[in-house]
Structure formats: C-alpha cells, structure tokens
Amino acid sequence: MLALSIVVLPLVGLLSRAPLRDLPGLLTDPTVTAALRLSLITSVAAAVLSTVLGVPLAWVLSRVDFPGKRLVRALVTLPMVLPPVVGGAALLFALGRRGLVGEPLAEATGIVLPFSIAGVVLANTFVAMPFLVVAVEGALDGVDRRVEGAAATLGATPLAVFGRVTLPLIGPSLRAGIVLAWARALGEFGATITFAGNLEGRTQTMPLAVFVALTEDQDAAIAISLILVAVSLTVLVTLRDRWWRRA
Amino acid sequence: MTTRRARGRRWLAAAFVTAVVAAGCGGGGRDGGSPRVVRVSAAASLTDAMGDIERLFEETVTDDVDVQVNLAGSATIRAQLLEGAPADVVATANPAIMDDLVAAGIVDEPATTFATNHLVLAVPGGEPDAVTGLADLADPDLFVGLCATGVPCGDLADAAIAASGLDITADTREPDVRSLLAKVAAGELDAGLVYSTDVTGGSGVDVVGIALPPELVAITSYPAATVASSSNGDLANRFVDFLTMPSARRILSDHGFGPP
C-alpha cells in the first residue's frame, strides 16, 4: 500500500492541480505545440537511430565471442544507470565544439551538434539505445539456435537467416525494445538540456518546456505534464497487453 | 490475518512516533551539540559569495549554527517557496520576485536590499577578438546564450537587447545564470549575457567579461528577507542583517557585487 502510494500519490497531486477549464487553451499554446512537435520528431528519430544501430550491436553481443565482451556489455548499459546530466556533459566533451571529436568535425564539415535538433536526437539516442539493445539481446539469447542452423543448412545466407527466421522470432521483444527506447527518449531531460540547450522550437522538448514553465506558468507546466503522463501510460498499457504477454 | 495486520500497523505507528520524537529531540537539543540550522534559499548568481558569507557567519555568530544554502534560479526559488519548500532566509536576484513572495505572504516584510549587480557580455577565455561588443552578437553564425525569460538575468538581457535595437537571437535560453556561464566557459557558446560578478575570476571559470555600453547597462538589486514560517526566525533575522554588515559587504564587493 505504501509502495503504491509513493508511485500514485504524485500523479494524483498532478491531476488535482490540472487546470481543466483552461486545458484546451494551454494545449494549443504555441510554446506547447512547438515542444510537442519537437518531442515527437526527436523521440521517433532517436528510436529509429537506436534500432538501426542497436540491433546489429545486440546481435554481436549475443552471437559473437570476443575478448572484453563483458566490458562492452557493461559500457552499453551504462547510460541506463548514469545520471543523464553526466551523459550530457560527456557528450559535450566528446562532440561539443571543443570536444574530442566535435572540434575536428566542426572544422572539417562545419557541423556543430550542440544547440541543434541533431544534438537533441543524439542525446536522446545516448540514453534510449541501451533499452533496445538489452531487450533485443535478451531475445536473441533465447532463440533456438538449431532453427537458425536448419535454415542455414538449407542454403539460406546469414542475412536471409536473420531476416526470415531470427527477426520474426524476436519480433515481440524488438517491438517492446523500440517502444521502450522511444518512451525513454520522449522523457529525456538532463542530457538534452546539458548538451543541446533550451530554445523554443529548436531544442526545447516537452520535458524542458515543463521545467521552464514550472517557474513561470505552472498551469502550462501541468498541461504538458499531463500529455507526457497520458502518452507514457498508453505506451505501457499497450506494451503489456499486446506484446509482453504474447512474448 | 487481521490481528497480524493490526499488529503490523501498530508497530509501524510506534516506529513512526519514535522517529518523529528522535528527530524532534535532535532539532531542539542545542545543548547536546547539534547546531541550529539556517536554511538559505539564494539566487544562483550568489553561488560563490554565499559560500564565503556562510563560512563567515558560522564562524562569527556565537551559537553553534549551520547555514545550509540552496542555490537555484530566482524563479525556481520562488516556485519552491510557493509550493511550501522549507527555508528560513530567501535572497533573490531581483525585487520583482521578492515582491511576489511578499504578496503571497511567504516572507516577512520588509526585504533588505544588500547588493546590486549588472549585466556584462561573457566570452570564452583564450579566444580574443571573436566578440568585442554587443553588436557582434547579431551575427547569426555565432552561438549566443541568454538566461531564460522569467529568470532575472534573462529579463535583464531581453531589456538590454531591446534597448540596443540590435537583432540578436539566442541559441539557448538557460534556466539559470550558472549553467549559461558553464556553456560559455566550455567554449560551446561564443557569448552570453551574464552578471558582472560571474566574470570576476572568483567564480573559477575561464571567461572574459566585456562591459556593455553605458546606456545599456542593466542593473538589478538583491533583496533578502526572513521566511514567515521560519522556526528559527531570530537567527534568520540575524543572517539577513549580517548581509548588510561591513564584513559581509566586503565579501560581496570582493565578488564584484555593487553596494545596495
């Protein structure tokens, strides 16, 4: 009961302050719609990037033995437990304008990642991709390797085996991983504000808008928070009913 | 089943009461050696100066006293206090935010103004001539940071830019002046409008300050007041008074703050 109230009570508090009458006006406020649009774009981009990069990584971690694999696995999951603001600072030192890679990148191509939408996507991917990798690697470990072997002996190329046999088998976990990564990206705050800054319409995602609005216009902050709660709840309920049970 | 649950509840209640009593004794037992606590919620721009003032107050005030400083953007501090965050003293970076706290009955009138500050242009250290004045900030290729609207340094910056008539757009609006300063010092921003106290060198960050033209100099004043609900009102009042005494005044001016 105590455990439940620790989780539920803050939500009740949020709802109790909901400015119901002004809600339509607040949700169509330009700041809110700009943050909403930016959050959707960047979180979907981060989920796509996490999938494109994360699935091959998960496959390597599951199927290839190499020295230092345990270390690599630990490094991959580090962003899940690292304070996001530390992640943001680390991204700055690596990819900032004066960063390890960022400085030569800016000199060679003129591309500067901080304070840009690309910077938001990168910060989101940094914190979100581990969720996908962990979900997919776990599923790959659970695949009956004899099925893959059978397909290979029947003449299927490794890529065909992965596409036709492995992928369908890990489908539910892959989908869950993608949705988890997307949801984590949607809620990202610390790495984003540290690495990408806070500018309405360019880098101010919904969590940043909540943070700024809390000190200025609390009703707006609560309105945005309600959207985030609604989205998160929908994601979790959908995941549970559609995929986790079947998986 | 019911009895066990009831017993469990009684045990929980007993544990709770014990904890509360223990905490109460700890808080009141000044003779027993635990110091009295003054919780100071202060504007982020006071970060360095407040650290020194805290030490001096703890050393010079006769009682065993522990000053605990909570630093944040003034607007955040207002939000915290309006939501009932515990504090004994509050010090903000402009009078408007203090007025809001007075209007809400959070603080005892009157607030004491103890310092002033003004905006300067901060540029990263070791990069001379990239930016030499406010007019350079109109270059869209430069990365420019300001404090967020509603934060005192952000409102001051907006006013100064509006008065300059220049077309300056920010690349980021940081929630408080210290995070803006950090991004300038890191070289990620080419320039930012921060307080003169942030570039005095005492803040330990690698930035160079450039004064604004005299007609644009935006000045803010810092009021401090005792929180009405403070359980340590006498000590809180002493801390507020202390801020205007010569010893604290000297610390503030060493950090670049102007006289009230």
Side-chain angles (χ1 to χ4, degrees), chain A residues 34-46 182 186 205-206 231:
Chain A
L36 184 61
R37 188 180 329 112
L38 186 69
S39 268
L40 286 177
I41 293 170
T42 53
S43 59
V44 168
W182 173 73
L186 188 71
T205 56
M206 288 210 284
V231 169

Side-chain angles (χ1 to χ4, degrees), chain A residues 56-121:
Chain A
L57 178 60
W59 189 85
V60 168
L61 285 175
S62 170
R63 296 296 152 85
V64 184
D65 279 320
F66 56 91
K69 184 168 162 178
R70 288 177 66 161
L71 179 67
V72 171
R73 188 177 279 140
L75 287 175
V76 167
T77 47
L78 191 62
M80 291 172 86
V81 289
L82 198 69
V85 61
V86 175
L91 281 170
L92 267 187
F93 298 140
L95 293 161
R97 234 173 10 150
R98 287 185 178 176
L100 208 58
V101 177
E103 189 163 1
L105 180 76
E107 273 166 19
T109 62
I111 295 173
V112 177
L113 290 168
F115 313 112
S116 70
I117 288 187
V120 178
V121 174

Side-chain angles (χ1 to χ4, degrees), chain A residues 2 17 92-93 95-99 112 114-116 192-200 202-203 211-212 214-216 218, chain B residues 75-76 78-79 83 124-127 141 143 148-151 170-175 183-190:
Chain A
L2 189 63
R17 289 286 192 88
L92 267 187
F93 298 140
L95 293 161
R97 234 173 10 150
R98 287 185 178 176
V112 177
F115 313 112
S116 70
T192 307
I193 198 164
T194 311
F195 182 64
N198 170 51
L199 188 69
E200 189 181 323
R202 201 197 302 170
T203 57
F211 181 70
V212 173
L214 259 182
T215 62
E216 272 305 293
Q218 237 170 42
Chain B
T76 304
R78 174 181 56 197
E83 290 301 323
E127 255 180 39
D141 289 339
F143 285 87
T149 308
V151 180
D171 291 283
T172 181
R173 304 290 310 236
E174 295 292 315
K183 281 177 180 156
V184 175
E188 296 301 334
L189 291 169
D190 294 301

Side-chain angles (χ1 to χ4, degrees), chain A residues 131-168:
Chain A
F131 288 86
L132 181 126
V133 173
V134 167
V136 173
E137 193 200 339
L140 283 171
D141 288 343
V143 169
D144 188 345
R145 301 285 289 273
R146 287 171 302 183
V147 184
E148 290 179 332
T153 50
L154 291 172
T157 62
L159 207 61
V161 173
F162 184 77
R164 299 252 182 98
V165 180
T166 317
L167 210 52

Side-chain angles (χ1 to χ4, degrees), chain A residues 172-197:
Chain A
S173 299
L174 177 62
R175 276 187 300 239
I178 292 172
V179 173
L180 274 180
W182 173 73
R184 179 65 189 86
L186 188 71
E188 217 304 302
F189 173 79
T192 307
I193 198 164
T194 311
F195 182 64

Side-chain angles (χ1 to χ4, degrees), chain B residues 121 123 129-138 142 166 168 191 210-213:
Chain B
L121 200 54
V123 298
D129 303 336
V131 174
T132 55
L134 196 63
D136 295 332
L137 269 54
L142 288 184
L166 292 165
I168 296 171
I210 300 170
L212 296 182

